[in-house]
Amino acid sequence: MRQNKNRRLGGQLRQGALALLGATLMALPGWASAYALSILPGSQSVGLGSEVSISVMVSNTQPGGLGSYDFQFNFDPTVLAFDRVTDGAGLGLTFGLGFNDLGNALLLSDFSLESQTDLLALQAADFTLFTLVFDTRAVGTSSLGLSGVTLSDAAGTIVSFSATGGSVTVVTGASVPEPATWALVGLALAGLGASRRKAQAA
């Protein structure tokens, strides 16, 4: 009986301590405006056989700036296959964007070689870290998420953050044609119309 009471009291004390810690953290300057990672677009639909571009953006980095990042980008390998990545160059001169394809996730990291002063001067508060391009493998929906995230400011101090996931839905059929494709279709139709008029005139 006494052991059960002690366990209940211990649990209540832990809950109280966690609540106090959460309230303290939320009261700290800058906690409400923690760095934010987001996957853009948040959701999109593409045709099977087409490529899909997905950007990872960071926001609310000022006044401390972003000096480095290290995290895992998760996706469904039955729906998407990683093809390539383009650095957003938001960290200025860097060691170089590193990535490792695990099949169902990508490990991505980079850190700036700029001085703290120069990095803060050149960096915007919101910018794209990188853009990923995937091939579509099969019809279905792949959730997209970030895990194991570590962000550091321009001084090298680890900062708090929030992260928003996303999704890609692959559907049967071709993707919407690019503007250049529409232009070619228009030219073909115009040529067909001209040849019909010539045939009728003859």
Side-chain angles (χ1 to χ4, degrees):
M1 187 70 134
R2 183 174 295 175
Q3 287 180 345
N4 289 338
K5 285 184 180 179
N6 288 339
R7 285 178 186 164
R8 281 198 298 271
L9 181 60
Q12 290 171 350
L13 288 174
R14 280 194 297 275
Q15 289 177 348
L18 288 173
L20 180 61
L21 177 61
T24 303
L25 287 174
M26 292 183 71
L28 291 174
W31 178 263
S33 59
Y35 291 47
L37 290 171
S38 52
I39 293 173
L40 298 175
S43 64
Q44 60 180 308
S45 180
V46 296
L48 181 61
S50 61
E51 289 187 336
V52 55
S53 294
I54 301 160
S55 295
V56 174
M57 183 172 186
V58 63
S59 306
N60 302 330
T61 65
Q62 296 301 327
L66 180 69
S68 68
Y69 61 85
D70 183 8
F71 56 82
Q72 183 169 300
F73 182 97
N74 305 298
F75 61 94
D76 185 342
T78 65
V79 177
L80 302 174
F82 173 67
D83 183 67
R84 61 189 182 275
V85 60
T86 303
D87 193 349
L91 301 188
L93 178 64
T94 66
F95 181 78
L97 172 60
F99 65 92
N100 186 14
D101 186 358
L102 303 179
N104 65 341
L106 297 167
L107 298 177
L108 299 126
S109 63
D110 202 1
F111 66 87
S112 179
L113 298 177
E114 302 280 359
S115 69
Q116 183 177 354
T117 303
D118 290 344
L119 183 60
L120 291 175
L122 70 86
Q123 197 172 76
D126 310 327
F127 59 93
T128 299
L129 287 178
F130 49 79
T131 299
L132 302 166
V133 177
F134 291 86
D135 295 319
T136 53
R137 280 186 164 165
V139 171
T141 298
S142 171
S143 60
L144 309 172
L146 307 175
S147 61
V149 179
T150 301
L151 302 179
S152 297
D153 64 15
T157 303
I158 293 177
V159 297
S160 60
F161 67 91
S162 63
T164 304
S167 66
V168 172
T169 299
V170 179
V171 296
T172 304
S175 58
V176 177
E178 297 292 332
T181 305
W182 282 120
L184 289 173
V185 170
L187 286 172
L189 290 174
L192 181 61
S195 65
R196 280 188 179 175
R197 281 194 298 272
K198 285 182 183 178
Q200 287 173 353

